[in-house]
Amino acid sequence: MHEFGIADAILAKTLEISAANGGASVERVQVLVGGLRQLVPEMLEFAFNALAAETAARGAALDVELAPVRVVCRNCEHAFEPDDLFWTCPVCGTCGANAVTGDELILKSVTLADVAPETASARPEPSGEKGR
Ligand SMILES: [Zn+2]
């Protein structure tokens, strides 16, 4: 399933940020995903929550924003956002434009719980996990 690979990439980056902040737990993650990736936001949230279950991002809210696909006509170079599957140019009617955006996967923001690093050692969670 496509969404799990993307969720995994988002989670890896999120946990990096968490680790750089003393392993603070993650409250919210905002991502921008290009429309070309053809994913279902609900599926991505589901996959993210499943993968995050054992991590500092457990229970974090995932906000998925879909970025529009933008293409450029091969004939007249008009840039537009296609609203059909054929990417028909609204100016000259040519099919099959070139995609310029829509393949993004951007981690827009990660909100961490307001945990002071000093109190982290008092928590029962093991903190000795080593990186690769
Ligand atoms: Zn055109």
Side-chain angles (χ1 to χ4, degrees):
M1 205 182 325
H2 185 54
E3 278 82 1
F4 271 90
I6 294 175
D8 197 44
I10 294 168
L11 181 63
K13 197 71 199 162
T14 299
L15 293 179
E16 247 174 57
I17 293 166
S18 163
N21 287 277
S25 60
V26 181
E27 289 189 334
R28 178 172 293 274
V29 179
Q30 289 182 295
V31 291
L32 180 73
V33 181
L36 279 181
R37 289 184 176 261
Q38 304 273 325
L39 59 76
V40 182
E42 289 76 17
M43 278 304 306
L44 185 59
E45 286 175 44
F46 172 80
F48 181 83
N49 287 329
L51 293 170
E54 304 283 314
T55 72
R58 176 180 57 238
L62 182 67
D63 288 345
V64 181
E65 190 185 325
L66 292 179
V69 176
R70 283 193 67 81
V71 302
V72 172
C73 175
R74 285 191 298 213
N75 183 45
C76 72
E77 298 192 340
H78 176 66
F80 60 102
E81 291 175 17
D83 52 9
D84 65 21
L85 290 174
F86 308 104
W87 295 0
T88 308
C89 176
V91 172
C92 70
T94 300
C95 289
N98 296 318
V100 287
T101 62
D103 200 29
E104 303 92 337
L105 177 59
I106 298 167
L107 193 61
K108 286 180 73 183
S109 75
V110 173
T111 307
L112 298 172
D114 198 11
V115 179
E118 286 80 14
T119 65
S121 58
R123 293 170 144 242
E125 291 162 15
S127 57
E129 200 171 304
K130 295 259 187 330
R132 277 143 290 175

Coordinates of all heavy atoms in Angstrom, one line a residue, residues 15-88:
L15 N 10.2 12.0 13.7 CA 10.9 11.5 14.9 C 12.3 12.1 15.0 O 12.8 12.3 16.1 CB 10.9 10.0 14.8 CG 9.6 9.3 15.0 CD1 9.7 7.8 14.9 CD2 8.9 9.7 16.3
E16 N 12.9 12.4 13.8 CA 14.1 13.1 13.8 C 14.0 14.5 14.5 O 14.9 14.8 15.4 CB 14.6 13.4 12.4 CG 15.8 12.7 11.9 CD 16.0 13.0 10.4 OE1 16.1 14.2 10.0 OE2 16.0 12.0 9.6
I17 N 12.9 15.2 14.2 CA 12.7 16.5 14.9 C 12.4 16.3 16.3 O 12.9 17.0 17.2 CB 11.5 17.2 14.1 CG1 12.0 17.6 12.7 CG2 11.1 18.4 14.9 CD1 10.9 18.0 11.8
S18 N 11.6 15.3 16.7 CA 11.3 15.0 18.1 C 12.6 14.7 18.8 O 12.9 15.2 19.9 CB 10.4 13.8 18.1 OG 10.4 13.3 19.4
A19 N 13.5 13.8 18.2 CA 14.7 13.4 18.9 C 15.6 14.6 19.1 O 16.3 14.7 20.1 CB 15.4 12.4 18.0
A20 N 15.6 15.6 18.2 CA 16.5 16.7 18.3 C 15.9 17.7 19.4 O 16.6 18.6 19.8 CB 16.5 17.5 16.9
N21 N 14.7 17.4 19.9 CA 14.1 18.2 20.9 C 13.9 17.4 22.2 O 12.9 17.5 22.9 CB 12.8 18.8 20.5 CG 13.1 19.9 19.5 OD1 13.3 21.1 19.8 ND2 13.0 19.6 18.2
G22 N 14.9 16.5 22.5 CA 14.8 15.7 23.7 C 13.8 14.6 23.7 O 13.3 14.2 24.7
G23 N 13.3 14.2 22.5 CA 12.3 13.1 22.4 C 11.0 13.6 22.8 O 10.1 12.8 23.2
A24 N 10.7 14.9 22.7 CA 9.4 15.4 23.0 C 8.3 14.7 22.2 O 8.5 14.4 21.0 CB 9.3 16.9 22.7
S25 N 7.1 14.5 22.8 CA 6.1 13.8 22.1 C 5.5 14.8 21.1 O 5.5 16.0 21.2 CB 5.0 13.2 23.0 OG 4.5 14.3 23.8
V26 N 5.0 14.2 20.0 CA 4.5 15.0 18.9 C 3.0 15.2 19.0 O 2.3 14.2 19.2 CB 4.9 14.3 17.5 CG1 4.4 15.1 16.3 CG2 6.4 14.1 17.4
E27 N 2.5 16.4 18.8 CA 1.1 16.6 18.9 C 0.4 16.7 17.5 O -0.7 16.3 17.4 CB 0.8 17.9 19.7 CG 1.1 17.8 21.2 CD 0.7 19.0 22.0 OE1 0.6 20.1 21.4 OE2 0.4 18.8 23.2
R28 N 1.1 17.3 16.6 CA 0.5 17.6 15.3 C 1.6 17.6 14.2 O 2.7 18.2 14.4 CB -0.2 19.0 15.4 CG -0.9 19.4 14.1 CD -1.7 20.6 14.3 NE -2.8 20.3 15.2 CZ -4.0 19.9 14.8 NH1 -4.2 19.7 13.5 NH2 -5.0 19.6 15.6
V29 N 1.2 17.1 13.1 CA 2.1 17.1 11.9 C 1.3 17.6 10.7 O 0.2 17.1 10.5 CB 2.7 15.7 11.6 CG1 3.6 15.7 10.4 CG2 3.4 15.1 12.8
Q30 N 1.9 18.6 10.1 CA 1.2 19.1 8.9 C 2.0 18.7 7.6 O 3.2 19.0 7.6 CB 1.0 20.6 8.9 CG 0.0 21.0 10.0 CD -0.1 22.5 10.0 OE1 0.8 23.2 10.3 NE2 -1.3 23.0 9.5
V31 N 1.4 18.1 6.7 CA 2.1 17.8 5.4 C 1.4 18.3 4.2 O 0.2 18.4 4.2 CB 2.4 16.3 5.3 CG1 3.3 15.7 6.3 CG2 1.0 15.5 5.4
L32 N 2.2 18.6 3.2 CA 1.6 19.0 1.9 C 2.0 17.9 0.9 O 3.1 17.6 0.8 CB 2.2 20.3 1.5 CG 1.7 20.9 0.2 CD1 0.3 21.5 0.3 CD2 2.7 22.0 -0.3
V33 N 1.0 17.4 0.3 CA 1.2 16.2 -0.6 C 0.6 16.6 -2.0 O -0.5 17.1 -2.1 CB 0.5 15.0 -0.1 CG1 0.7 13.8 -1.1 CG2 0.9 14.6 1.3
G34 N 1.5 16.4 -3.0 CA 1.1 16.8 -4.3 C 0.0 15.9 -4.8 O -0.1 14.7 -4.5
G35 N -0.9 16.4 -5.6 CA -2.1 15.7 -6.2 C -1.7 14.5 -7.1 O -2.4 13.6 -7.2
L36 N -0.5 14.6 -7.6 CA 0.0 13.5 -8.5 C 0.2 12.2 -7.7 O 0.3 11.1 -8.3 CB 1.3 13.9 -9.2 CG 1.2 14.8 -10.4 CD1 2.6 15.0 -11.0 CD2 0.4 14.1 -11.5
R37 N 0.4 12.3 -6.4 CA 0.7 11.1 -5.7 C -0.6 10.3 -5.5 O -0.5 9.1 -5.0 CB 1.3 11.5 -4.3 CG 2.7 12.0 -4.5 CD 3.4 12.3 -3.2 NE 4.8 12.6 -3.4 CZ 5.8 11.8 -3.2 NH1 5.6 10.6 -2.9 NH2 7.0 12.2 -3.5
Q38 N -1.7 10.8 -5.8 CA -3.0 10.0 -5.8 C -3.3 9.3 -4.5 O -3.7 8.2 -4.6 CB -2.9 9.0 -7.0 CG -2.6 9.5 -8.3 CD -3.9 10.0 -9.0 OE1 -4.9 9.4 -8.9 NE2 -3.7 11.0 -9.8
L39 N -3.0 10.0 -3.4 CA -3.3 9.2 -2.2 C -4.5 9.7 -1.5 O -5.0 10.8 -1.8 CB -2.1 9.2 -1.3 CG -1.5 10.5 -0.8 CD1 -2.3 11.1 0.3 CD2 -0.1 10.2 -0.2
V40 N -5.0 8.9 -0.7 CA -6.2 9.2 0.1 C -5.8 9.7 1.4 O -5.2 9.0 2.2 CB -7.1 7.9 0.2 CG1 -8.4 8.2 1.0 CG2 -7.4 7.3 -1.1
P41 N -6.1 11.0 1.8 CA -5.7 11.5 3.0 C -6.1 10.7 4.3 O -5.3 10.5 5.2 CB -6.4 12.9 3.1 CG -6.6 13.3 1.7 CD -6.8 12.0 0.9
E42 N -7.3 10.1 4.2 CA -7.7 9.3 5.4 C -6.8 8.1 5.5 O -6.5 7.6 6.6 CB -9.2 8.8 5.2 CG -10.2 9.9 5.4 CD -10.2 10.9 4.2 OE1 -9.8 10.5 3.1 OE2 -10.8 12.0 4.3
M43 N -6.4 7.5 4.4 CA -5.5 6.3 4.4 C -4.2 6.7 4.9 O -3.5 5.9 5.6 CB -5.4 5.7 3.0 CG -6.5 4.8 2.5 SD -6.8 3.5 3.7 CE -5.1 2.8 3.7
L44 N -3.7 7.9 4.6 CA -2.4 8.3 5.0 C -2.4 8.5 6.5 O -1.5 8.2 7.2 CB -2.0 9.6 4.3 CG -0.6 10.1 4.6 CD1 0.5 9.1 4.2 CD2 -0.3 11.5 3.9
E45 N -3.5 9.1 7.0 CA -3.6 9.3 8.5 C -3.7 8.0 9.2 O -3.0 7.8 10.2 CB -4.9 10.1 8.8 CG -4.9 11.5 8.4 CD -6.3 12.2 8.6 OE1 -6.9 11.9 9.7 OE2 -6.7 13.0 7.7
F46 N -4.4 7.1 8.6 CA -4.5 5.7 9.2 C -3.1 5.1 9.3 O -2.7 4.5 10.3 CB -5.5 4.9 8.4 CG -5.5 3.4 8.8 CD1 -6.2 3.0 10.0 CD2 -4.8 2.5 8.1 CE1 -6.2 1.7 10.4 CE2 -4.7 1.1 8.5 CZ -5.5 0.8 9.7
A47 N -2.4 5.1 8.2 CA -1.1 4.5 8.1 C -0.1 5.2 9.1 O 0.6 4.5 9.8 CB -0.5 4.6 6.7
F48 N -0.2 6.5 9.1 CA 0.7 7.2 10.0 C 0.4 6.8 11.5 O 1.4 6.6 12.2 CB 0.5 8.8 9.8 CG 1.4 9.6 10.7 CD1 2.7 9.9 10.3 CD2 0.9 10.1 11.9 CE1 3.5 10.6 11.1 CE2 1.7 10.9 12.7 CZ 3.0 11.2 12.3
N49 N -0.8 6.8 11.9 CA -1.2 6.5 13.2 C -0.8 5.0 13.6 O -0.3 4.8 14.7 CB -2.7 6.6 13.5 CG -3.0 8.1 13.6 OD1 -2.2 8.9 14.0 ND2 -4.2 8.5 13.1
A50 N -0.9 4.1 12.6 CA -0.5 2.7 12.8 C 1.0 2.6 13.1 O 1.5 2.0 14.0 CB -0.9 1.9 11.7
L51 N 1.8 3.3 12.2 CA 3.2 3.3 12.3 C 3.8 4.0 13.5 O 4.8 3.7 14.1 CB 3.9 3.9 11.0 CG 3.6 3.1 9.7 CD1 4.1 3.9 8.5 CD2 4.3 1.7 9.8
A52 N 3.0 5.0 13.9 CA 3.5 5.9 15.0 C 3.2 5.3 16.4 O 3.6 5.9 17.4 CB 2.9 7.3 14.9
A53 N 2.4 4.2 16.4 CA 1.9 3.7 17.7 C 2.9 3.5 18.8 O 2.6 3.7 20.0 CB 1.1 2.4 17.4
E54 N 4.1 3.1 18.4 CA 5.1 2.8 19.4 C 6.2 3.9 19.5 O 7.3 3.7 20.0 CB 5.9 1.5 19.0 CG 4.9 0.3 18.8 CD 4.5 -0.2 20.2 OE1 5.3 -0.4 21.0 OE2 3.3 -0.4 20.3
T55 N 5.9 5.1 19.0 CA 6.9 6.1 18.9 C 6.5 7.4 19.7 O 5.4 7.5 20.2 CB 7.2 6.5 17.5 OG1 6.1 7.3 17.0 CG2 7.4 5.3 16.6
A56 N 7.3 8.4 19.6 CA 7.0 9.7 20.2 C 5.9 10.4 19.5 O 5.3 11.4 20.0 CB 8.3 10.6 20.3
A57 N 5.5 9.9 18.3 CA 4.5 10.5 17.6 C 3.1 9.8 17.8 O 2.2 10.1 17.1 CB 4.8 10.5 16.1
R58 N 3.1 9.0 18.8 CA 1.9 8.2 19.1 C 0.7 9.2 19.4 O 0.9 10.1 20.2 CB 2.2 7.4 20.4 CG 1.0 6.6 20.9 CD 1.4 5.9 22.1 NE 1.9 6.7 23.2 CZ 3.1 6.6 23.7 NH1 3.9 5.7 23.3 NH2 3.5 7.5 24.6
G59 N -0.4 9.0 18.7 CA -1.6 9.8 18.9 C -1.5 11.2 18.3 O -2.4 12.0 18.5
A60 N -0.4 11.5 17.5 CA -0.3 12.8 16.9 C -1.4 13.0 15.8 O -1.7 12.0 15.1 CB 1.1 13.0 16.3
A61 N -1.9 14.2 15.7 CA -2.8 14.5 14.6 C -2.0 14.7 13.3 O -1.0 15.5 13.3 CB -3.6 15.7 14.9
L62 N -2.4 14.1 12.2 CA -1.8 14.4 10.9 C -2.7 15.2 10.1 O -3.8 14.8 9.7 CB -1.4 13.0 10.3 CG -0.7 13.1 8.9 CD1 0.7 13.7 9.1 CD2 -0.6 11.8 8.3
D63 N -2.3 16.4 9.7 CA -3.1 17.2 8.8 C -2.5 17.1 7.4 O -1.4 17.4 7.1 CB -2.9 18.7 9.2 CG -3.7 19.0 10.5 OD1 -4.5 18.2 10.9 OD2 -3.4 20.1 11.0
V64 N -3.3 16.6 6.5 CA -2.9 16.4 5.1 C -3.5 17.4 4.2 O -4.7 17.6 4.2 CB -3.3 15.0 4.6 CG1 -2.8 14.8 3.2 CG2 -2.8 13.9 5.5
E65 N -2.6 18.2 3.6 CA -3.1 19.2 2.7 C -2.7 18.7 1.3 O -1.5 18.4 1.0 CB -2.4 20.5 3.0 CG -3.0 21.7 2.2 CD -2.2 23.0 2.5 OE1 -1.8 23.2 3.6 OE2 -2.1 23.8 1.6
L66 N -3.6 18.7 0.4 CA -3.3 18.3 -1.0 C -3.0 19.5 -1.8 O -3.7 20.4 -1.9 CB -4.5 17.5 -1.6 CG -4.8 16.2 -1.0 CD1 -6.0 15.6 -1.7 CD2 -3.6 15.2 -1.1
A67 N -1.8 19.4 -2.4 CA -1.4 20.5 -3.3 C -1.9 20.2 -4.7 O -2.0 19.1 -5.2 CB 0.2 20.5 -3.4
P68 N -2.3 21.3 -5.4 CA -2.9 21.1 -6.8 C -1.8 20.7 -7.7 O -0.6 20.9 -7.5 CB -3.4 22.5 -7.1 CG -2.6 23.4 -6.3 CD -2.3 22.7 -5.0
V69 N -2.2 19.9 -8.7 CA -1.3 19.6 -9.8 C -1.2 20.7 -10.8 O -2.2 21.3 -11.2 CB -1.8 18.3 -10.6 CG1 -0.9 18.0 -11.7 CG2 -2.0 17.2 -9.6
R70 N 0.0 21.1 -11.2 CA 0.1 22.2 -12.2 C 0.9 21.6 -13.4 O 1.9 20.9 -13.2 CB 0.8 23.4 -11.6 CG -0.1 24.2 -10.8 CD 0.5 25.6 -10.5 NE 0.6 26.4 -11.7 CZ -0.4 27.1 -12.2 NH1 -1.6 27.1 -11.6 NH2 -0.2 27.8 -13.3
V71 N 0.4 21.8 -14.5 CA 1.0 21.3 -15.7 C 1.2 22.4 -16.7 O 0.7 23.5 -16.6 CB 0.2 20.2 -16.4 CG1 -0.1 19.1 -15.4 CG2 -1.2 20.7 -16.9
V72 N 2.1 22.1 -17.7 CA 2.4 23.1 -18.8 C 2.1 22.4 -20.1 O 2.6 21.3 -20.4 CB 3.9 23.6 -18.7 CG1 4.2 24.5 -19.9 CG2 4.1 24.4 -17.4
C73 N 1.3 23.1 -20.9 CA 1.0 22.6 -22.2 C 2.2 22.4 -23.1 O 3.1 23.3 -23.1 CB 0.0 23.5 -22.9 SG -0.4 23.0 -24.6
R74 N 2.3 21.3 -23.8 CA 3.5 21.0 -24.6 C 3.5 21.8 -25.9 O 4.5 22.0 -26.6 CB 3.6 19.5 -25.0 CG 4.0 18.7 -23.8 CD 4.3 17.3 -24.3 NE 3.1 16.7 -24.8 CZ 2.9 15.4 -24.8 NH1 3.7 14.6 -24.1 NH2 1.8 14.8 -25.3
N75 N 2.3 22.3 -26.2 CA 2.1 23.0 -27.5 C 2.3 24.5 -27.3 O 3.1 25.2 -28.0 CB 0.7 22.7 -28.1 CG 0.5 23.4 -29.4 OD1 1.4 23.3 -30.3 ND2 -0.6 24.0 -29.6
C76 N 1.5 25.1 -26.4 CA 1.6 26.6 -26.2 C 2.2 27.1 -24.9 O 2.2 28.3 -24.7 CB 0.1 27.1 -26.4 SG -0.9 26.8 -25.0
E77 N 2.6 26.1 -24.1 CA 3.3 26.4 -22.8 C 2.4 27.2 -21.8 O 2.9 27.8 -20.9 CB 4.6 27.2 -23.1 CG 5.6 26.4 -23.9 CD 7.0 27.0 -23.9 OE1 7.1 28.2 -23.6 OE2 7.9 26.2 -24.2
H78 N 1.1 27.1 -22.0 CA 0.2 27.6 -21.0 C 0.2 26.8 -19.8 O 0.2 25.5 -19.9 CB -1.2 27.6 -21.6 CG -2.3 28.1 -20.7 ND1 -2.3 29.4 -20.2 CD2 -3.3 27.4 -20.1 CE1 -3.3 29.5 -19.4 NE2 -4.0 28.3 -19.3
A79 N 0.4 27.4 -18.6 CA 0.4 26.7 -17.4 C -1.0 26.7 -16.8 O -1.6 27.7 -16.7 CB 1.4 27.3 -16.4
F80 N -1.4 25.5 -16.3 CA -2.8 25.4 -15.8 C -2.9 24.2 -14.8 O -2.0 23.4 -14.7 CB -3.8 25.3 -16.9 CG -3.6 24.0 -17.8 CD1 -4.4 22.9 -17.6 CD2 -2.7 24.0 -18.8 CE1 -4.3 21.8 -18.4 CE2 -2.5 22.9 -19.6 CZ -3.3 21.8 -19.4
E81 N -4.0 24.3 -14.1 CA -4.3 23.2 -13.2 C -5.4 22.3 -13.8 O -6.5 22.7 -14.0 CB -4.8 23.7 -11.8 CG -3.8 24.4 -11.0 CD -4.3 25.0 -9.7 OE1 -5.4 24.6 -9.3 OE2 -3.6 25.9 -9.2
P82 N -5.0 21.1 -14.3 CA -6.0 20.3 -15.0 C -7.1 19.8 -14.1 O -6.9 19.5 -13.0 CB -5.2 19.1 -15.5 CG -4.0 19.0 -14.5 CD -3.8 20.4 -14.1
D83 N -8.3 19.8 -14.7 CA -9.4 19.3 -13.9 C -10.0 18.0 -14.6 O -11.1 17.6 -14.3 CB -10.5 20.3 -13.7 CG -11.0 21.0 -14.9 OD1 -10.6 20.6 -16.0 OD2 -11.7 22.0 -14.8
D84 N -9.3 17.5 -15.5 CA -9.6 16.2 -16.1 C -8.4 15.3 -16.1 O -7.3 15.8 -15.9 CB -10.3 16.3 -17.5 CG -9.3 16.9 -18.5 OD1 -8.1 16.8 -18.3 OD2 -9.8 17.4 -19.6
L85 N -8.6 14.0 -16.4 CA -7.5 13.1 -16.4 C -6.6 13.2 -17.7 O -5.5 12.7 -17.8 CB -8.0 11.7 -16.3 CG -8.6 11.3 -15.0 CD1 -9.3 9.9 -15.1 CD2 -7.6 11.3 -13.9
F86 N -7.1 14.0 -18.7 CA -6.4 14.0 -19.9 C -5.4 15.2 -20.1 O -4.7 15.4 -21.0 CB -7.3 14.0 -21.1 CG -8.3 12.9 -21.0 CD1 -9.6 13.0 -20.6 CD2 -7.9 11.6 -21.3 CE1 -10.5 12.0 -20.5 CE2 -8.7 10.5 -21.2 CZ -10.0 10.7 -20.8
W87 N -5.6 16.1 -19.1 CA -4.7 17.3 -19.0 C -4.9 18.1 -20.3 O -3.9 18.4 -21.0 CB -3.3 17.0 -18.8 CG -3.0 16.4 -17.4 CD1 -4.0 16.2 -16.4 CD2 -1.8 16.0 -16.8 NE1 -3.4 15.6 -15.3 CE2 -2.0 15.6 -15.5 CE3 -0.5 16.0 -17.3 CZ2 -1.0 15.1 -14.7 CZ3 0.5 15.6 -16.5 CH2 0.3 15.1 -15.2
T88 N -6.1 18.3 -20.7 CA -6.4 19.1 -21.9 C -6.1 20.6 -21.7 O -6.7 21.2 -20.8 CB -7.8 18.8 -22.3 OG1 -8.1 17.4 -22.4 CG2 -8.1 19.4 -23.7

